[in-house]
Amino acid sequence: MDAYLRALSERVLVFDGAMGTSLMAMELTDADFGGPRHHGCNEALVLFRPDVIATVHRSYLDAGADVLETDSFTASRLKLDEYGLGERTVELNRNAARIAREVAAEFSTPEKPRFVAGSLGPTGMLISSSDPTLSKITFDELADIYGEQSRALVEGGVDLLLIETSQDLLEMKAAIAGITREFDRGLRRVPIQAQATLDVTGRMLLGTDIRAVCATLDALAIDVIGLNCSTGPAHMRDAVRYLVENSRCFVAVIPNAGLPLMGPKGETIYPESPDELARELASFVRDFGVNAIGGCCGTTPAHIAALAEAARGHVGRAPEPKPLQYVASAMTATALKQDGSPLLIGERINAQGSRKIKRLLLAEDYDEIMLVGREQVDGGAHVLDVCTALTERADEDVQMATIVKKLAQSVPAPLMIDSTEPKVIEAALKIYAGRAIVNSIHLENGRGKVDSVMPLVRESGSAVVALTIDEQGMAKTAARKLEVAKRIYHIVVDEFGIPPGALIFDALTFTLATGDAEFLDSAVETIEGIKLIKEQLPGVLTSLGLSNVSFGLKPSARAVLNSVFMHHCVAVGLDMAIVHAKDITPYTEIDATERELCDDLVFNRRPDALARLIEHFEEKGTTAQTTAAVDDDAGMPVEVRIHNAILRRRKDGIEAKVDEVLRTRDPVDVLNNVLLPAMKEVGDKFGAGELILPFVLQSAEVMKSAVAYLEPHMSKSADHGRGKIVLATVKGDVH
C-alpha cells in the first residue's frame, strides 16, 4: 500500500491550515510577488520568495500537521495566464512541490513521516453551466490543464494529488481524467484525493448534492473523498456522515474556521476559535470515523495545533468496497438496484422508437424534448434513456451532447447514453457531470465494440449495459445468454476493473407478435436467462428493453403484455427495464381474462395464444380501458370507494368522496379507519412485491390530497386533541 494511504489506515492525519491567511498577515509588498502585475498571486511567491512559503510550511508542521499542501492552488496555466505567468506553469508547480518536500523532510521521522499534497484548485471555469463565457472550455482542455499541473507537482516530489475547493462536478471529473492520463503516460502514480465544496444548503455551486458527489467520484480512480472550504464544520455534518457511510474511499474533512463574516472595515472574518473548530472536527472523528482533518480559509497554526491534539490516538474507519452501485445526475443519485421494485428507465427520448422525438430532433426543438423528459420523471422513471440517432442527420454526437447538457440542467434523473457509435458516447460522457449508464456493448464483432467503448466507461466512471450478443448473433436460449454474459463479465470486471454492480446485462427481448415459430419460446428463454445470469454471476444487474416483447401489437394490448412480462421477469431477478413507466400496471390489478391471455402467450402455453390475444383486443377496441383500474365500484359504500381510490391511485374526485363520508362519520374516524387502512394495504402490497415504488408514491399523493381536504374539518372537531408524535427511522436514513 502507498505510504500515505497506509498512514491513513493507521491514524487520523492532520492537514495544514490556510496558506492565504498566513500570507496576508505578513503584509507582503509588490516586490515579494515579483512586481505589481503578480501581486495577489500567492503562487508567484514560490518563484520570488520561496523562503516565505517555506516559513508558512514550517509553522504548520511545528503545530503538529502531518500533511502540507503545496502553494499551487491556482497554479494551473489557465489561472497563471491572468498574471502573465502561464509560460512558467511547470517551473512554478515543480518549485511549489520541491519547497514543501524539503520542509517536510526536515520534520519527518520513520515513526511519523510528513506528507506533501499537490494542491489543484478550480480553474474558474464552470463547464457544466449554461453561462456562455464560463462554460466555454472542453472536457479535454480541462484534462490537459490539470494533467500539466499534476505532472509538474509529481515530478517535484508530492506524495498525493489533492483536487480541492471544487465547485463543478464535471471539472472534478476532467481533473481526475487529466491525472490518470498522465499516469498512463508513465508518470509516477500517487494517490488522488478529491474534495468538493458545498454551500449551507448542502449542495455544490451548480446544485449537486452529496449523493451525486459520492456516486460520481466513488466510481472514478480516487483514493480519498472529502469536503473542504465554503462553510464551517457545522454545515458539513450530514454530508460527512453520508460520505463515511456510503463511500468506498477514505474520507477527509477540511473546513473553514466557520462561515465567513464581513468585518467592520469590509474585511473577511472567520469566527471559529481553534478550540471550537477542534471540538467539531473531533466529533467527526469520534462519531463517524473520518480519516483526515485539517483547516481551510481562516485557519492558523493555532487551529492546526488544536486539531492535532484532537486527532491524537484516533483511527478512522477502514474503507471497503460498496456492492450497491449508484448512478447520478448533476443534481442527485439513484441506486441501480432499487429496494423492492425494478429501476424504471424512461424510453421516450429515443429517436429510434419515438416518431415525436425524431420530429423534434429534426426541428432542433430541444425545449419540447426537455418537457418529454420531465413528463417521464413525473410518471415514475428513475433514469432517462437518450438516443439521437437519425438517418436524416450526420451529427448524432452534436445533438446527443446538446440534449445531455440540457437534460442535466433540467431533470433530476440520471441518464442512459444510448448509441451504437463510440464517438457519440464519448461526446455525451464528456459533457455529463454525473455518473451515467452507457448502452451498450456486445461481442457481435469480437471485442471491437467492447475495446472501443470500455475505456470511455472506465474514465468516466459510468455503469454499462452489455447485450448478450456474440459472433454467432443474438443469444436466443437461456444457456447461450449465460455463455455470452460470462465472456463479457470477465472482460469488463477482470480486465477493465468495473464493479459487478455497475455491469448490467440485457438478456434480449424479442417480439411475440409475429407468431414466428423461432420466437414462440423467446419470452420463456429470456426469463430463464435472467435467472441464470443472476445466479451464476453474483453482483451483476439485469435489464430489458421491455416493450420489444409487444412490438407490432395495438397500444392497448402492448400495455397489458408489457406489464405481465415485466412482472414475471422481476420475479426471477430483473433489476431494471426500459419502459414507459406510466403504461405499466401492477399484475394483480390487470383484468383476470387479459392476464391469462398474456400469460398464455409469454409462456407459450397454447398454440392459439397470439390469435386469442389479438382477437380480444380487436373486440375491445383501441380506446377501451385495459385494466381493472376502471371505476367498477360506483355502487359500493363511500368508504370502499375511498379505499379503492387510494389503492388504485385515482386522485380525481377524492375530495367529493371525503365530503360524502363526512356526512356520517367523524373526521378523526375517517382518518384512522378509512384513509390509514388504505395506505397500509398499499404498503403491504409493496412489501409483497405486488406494487412497485412509483405506484406507492402515486397512492401517497392521493392520500395527501385526502388528508389535506380533511384537515380543516379535523381542526373544528370538538372531540379530538393534538397529541405528541414521535418519528423514528433507521440509522443513515436520508429522509
Side-chain angles (χ1 to χ4, degrees):
M1 183 186 288
D2 174 90
Y4 172 67
L5 299 181
R6 183 168 59 251
L8 279 177
S9 69
E10 295 171 349
R11 67 183 192 278
V12 174
L13 297 185
V14 178
F15 275 65
D16 60 8
M19 175 65 71
T21 299
S22 295
L23 294 177
M24 286 182 65
M26 294 181 180
E27 299 182 353
L28 300 170
T29 67
D30 286 351
D32 294 315
F33 289 92
R37 185 180 182 185
H38 306 148
H39 200 125
C41 178
N42 291 338
E43 290 74 15
L45 294 169
V46 305
L47 297 176
F48 304 108
R49 287 296 306 273
D51 59 307
V52 169
I53 301 304
T55 297
V56 175
H57 286 329
R58 288 191 185 94
S59 71
Y60 284 121
L61 292 182
D62 278 331
D66 298 293
V67 187
L68 291 177
E69 294 185 31
T70 57
D71 181 26
S72 59
F73 179 71
T74 60
S76 68
R77 181 175 292 269
L78 196 63
K79 297 295 289 183
L80 292 178
D81 274 341
E82 298 174 12
Y83 295 95
L85 292 170
E87 293 303 313
R88 303 186 71 175
T89 299
V90 172
E91 175 193 6
L92 191 152
N93 281 279
R94 283 178 180 164
N95 280 9
R98 178 184 53 77
I99 295 166
R101 178 82 275 151
E102 290 174 354
V103 175
E106 296 173 15
F107 287 78
S108 289
T109 66
E111 295 78 23
K112 189 176 181 181
R114 306 299 176 95
F115 302 98
V116 176
S119 174
L120 302 160
T123 63
M125 305 298 286
L126 292 172
I127 186 175
S128 290
S129 76
S130 56
D131 185 281
T133 300
L134 295 178
S135 65
K136 196 174 182 181
I137 193 168
T138 69
F139 183 92
D140 287 328
E141 287 170 344
L142 280 174
D144 289 343
I145 287 167
Y146 280 106
E148 177 186 45
Q149 188 181 2
S150 299
R151 176 171 283 276
L153 289 168
V154 172
E155 290 173 346
V158 302
D159 298 294
L160 66 141
L161 290 167
L162 173 62
I163 303 164
E164 59 175 336
T165 321
S166 301
Q167 309 281 356
D168 186 334
L169 191 56
L170 185 56
E171 184 178 69
M172 297 185 79
K173 293 175 69 175
I176 295 165
I179 294 168
T180 55
R181 289 175 188 180
E182 291 301 320
F183 290 162
D184 292 340
R185 295 182 184 116
L187 182 66
R188 172 173 60 92
R189 290 184 179 269
V190 298
I192 301 174
Q193 183 163 319
Q195 296 173 176
T197 291
L198 308 180
D199 61 21
V200 294
T201 69
R203 293 181 179 271
M204 297 177 73
L205 181 63
L206 297 176
T208 307
D209 71 9
I210 193 62
R211 292 167 57 85
V213 170
C214 184
T216 302
L217 296 183
D218 246 38
L220 299 172
I222 69 169
D223 304 280
V224 185
I225 193 170
L227 303 173
N228 79 288
C229 199
S230 188
T231 70
H235 291 93
M236 292 181 169
R237 190 170 187 86
D238 288 343
V240 171
R241 176 171 54 202
Y242 184 87
L243 289 180
V244 170
E245 293 177 353
N246 293 280
S247 176
R248 63 166 180 82
C249 301
F250 293 103
V251 175
V253 188
I254 304 177
N256 293 340
L259 200 62
L261 305 172
M262 187 68 73
K265 298 179 180 179
E267 76 278 20
T268 302
I269 296 174
Y270 292 89
E272 291 207 358
S273 69
D275 287 344
E276 289 171 332
L277 184 68
R279 184 164 56 251
E280 291 183 277
L281 288 184
S283 73
F284 290 173
V285 171
R286 181 184 63 251
D287 299 342
F288 304 145
V290 301
N291 306 98
I293 57 177
C296 203
C297 302
T299 56
T300 65
H303 287 88
I304 301 310
L307 296 187
E309 182 61 33
R312 194 185 312 279
H314 288 282
V315 179
R317 72 96 167 90
E320 58 184 7
K322 301 294 183 182
L324 181 60
Q325 296 288 305
Y326 291 79
V327 283
S329 66
M331 303 176 194
T332 191
T334 299
L336 279 171
K337 186 171 181 61
Q338 296 287 299
D339 185 12
S341 64
L343 182 90
L344 301 180
I345 303 169
E347 66 179 356
R348 291 301 170 93
I349 306 180
N350 189 320
Q352 299 294 294
S354 169
R355 286 191 295 271
K356 178 179 179 180
I357 293 298
K358 180 177 180 177
R359 172 176 55 80
L360 295 173
L361 285 171
L362 289 172
E364 298 186 5
D365 189 347
Y366 300 124
D367 289 340
E368 188 66 25
I369 293 174
M370 296 307 104
L371 292 179
V372 175
R374 294 190 193 108
E375 288 170 1
Q376 288 185 97
V377 174
D378 291 343
H382 302 97
V383 173
L384 299 181
D385 180 77
V386 183
C387 176
T388 60
L390 294 169
T391 56
E392 295 88 347
R393 296 183 64 138
D395 60 346
E396 181 187 351
D397 55 337
V398 175
Q399 287 208 300
M400 174 66 84
T402 300
I403 289 179
V404 164
K405 184 165 186 175
K406 287 181 176 293
L407 283 170
Q409 297 172 352
S410 302
V411 298
L415 302 182
M416 172 182 279
I417 310 303
D418 191 345
S419 178
T420 60
E421 299 296 328
K423 76 169 186 175
V424 176
I425 294 171
E426 181 177 13
L429 295 178
K430 287 182 176 178
I431 203 63
Y432 191 59
R435 187 189 192 193
I437 304 173
V438 170
N439 186 11
S440 57
I441 59 171
H442 52 72
L443 299 173
E444 184 176 8
N445 299 309
R447 288 191 48 155
K449 183 69 178 290
V450 175
D451 289 336
S452 61
V453 172
M454 283 309 301
L456 304 174
V457 169
R458 180 169 58 187
E459 182 176 85
S460 65
S462 302
V464 63
V465 174
L467 308 179
T468 52
I469 304 173
D470 66 1
E471 300 86 345
Q472 299 178 42
M474 295 183 288
K476 295 171 184 174
T477 67
R480 284 275 296 127
K481 294 175 192 291
L482 176 63
E483 176 188 342
V484 178
K486 285 182 175 179
R487 287 181 62 195
I488 294 174
Y489 178 95
H490 290 303
I491 297 171
V492 172
V493 175
D494 298 337
E495 294 185 28
F496 284 93
I498 304 300
L503 174 56
I504 305 159
F505 282 107
D506 186 330
L508 303 181
T509 315
F510 302 99
T511 182
L512 296 175
T514 65
D516 191 327
E518 183 182 7
F519 296 107
L520 292 178
D521 287 319
S522 62
V524 177
E525 295 291 346
T526 295
I527 293 169
E528 183 62 22
I530 293 168
K531 182 179 179 182
L532 290 176
I533 289 170
K534 294 288 289 185
E535 288 175 350
Q536 298 198 30
L537 296 175
V540 303
L541 303 178
T542 54
S543 177
L544 287 177
L546 194 80
S547 58
N548 289 345
V549 75
S550 63
F551 184 77
L553 295 174
K554 287 193 171 187
S556 54
R558 295 195 71 180
V560 182
L561 181 57
N562 291 347
S563 299
V564 168
F565 184 52
M566 179 172 167
H567 168 80
H568 294 302
C569 290
V570 169
V572 297
L574 182 70
D575 299 294
M576 58 191 75
I578 304 175
V579 67
H580 191 43
K582 289 180 69 175
D583 289 344
I584 295 299
T585 301
Y587 186 74
T588 55
E589 293 184 18
I590 297 172
D591 175 83
T593 298
E594 294 176 357
R595 195 165 60 214
E596 183 179 2
L597 288 169
C598 291
D599 281 344
D600 286 345
L601 185 59
V602 167
F603 293 104
N604 192 21
R605 294 197 297 212
R606 50 189 298 165
D608 59 348
L610 176 60
R612 294 176 73 242
L613 182 78
I614 293 174
E615 181 182 4
H616 172 83
F617 284 99
E618 285 289 348
E619 292 176 353
K620 191 166 187 178
T622 58
T623 60
Q625 290 286 338
T626 61
T627 72
V630 296
D631 284 324
D632 55 1
D633 56 7
M636 298 288 187
V638 65
E639 291 87 351
V640 174
R641 284 183 277 128
I642 291 175
H643 187 101
N644 288 343
I646 293 173
L647 188 64
R648 296 174 180 173
R649 308 171 297 285
R650 299 182 203 157
K651 196 172 184 179
D652 292 344
I654 188 65
E655 292 88 354
K657 293 181 178 70
V658 173
D659 253 343
E660 184 179 345
V661 78
L662 285 174
R663 295 171 192 164
T664 58
R665 302 184 70 150
D666 176 82
V668 177
D669 178 43
V670 172
L671 176 65
N672 290 335
N673 298 309
V674 179
L675 298 180
L676 290 179
M679 274 310 294
K680 180 181 183 302
E681 184 173 350
V682 170
D684 291 343
K685 285 180 175 292
F686 175 70
E690 296 178 17
L691 290 178
I692 57 178
L693 185 58
F695 297 147
V696 176
L697 298 179
Q698 291 168 24
S699 289
E701 284 298 313
V702 181
M703 177 72 171
K704 183 178 177 182
S705 295
V707 172
Y709 189 78
L710 186 67
E711 193 170 16
H713 299 278
M714 293 176 65
S715 63
K716 297 174 184 176
S717 178
D719 61 351
H720 94 279
R722 295 183 181 273
K724 292 183 178 179
I725 298 175
V726 178
L727 298 179
T729 187
V730 296
K731 180 180 179 182
D733 181 62
V734 297
H735 296 92

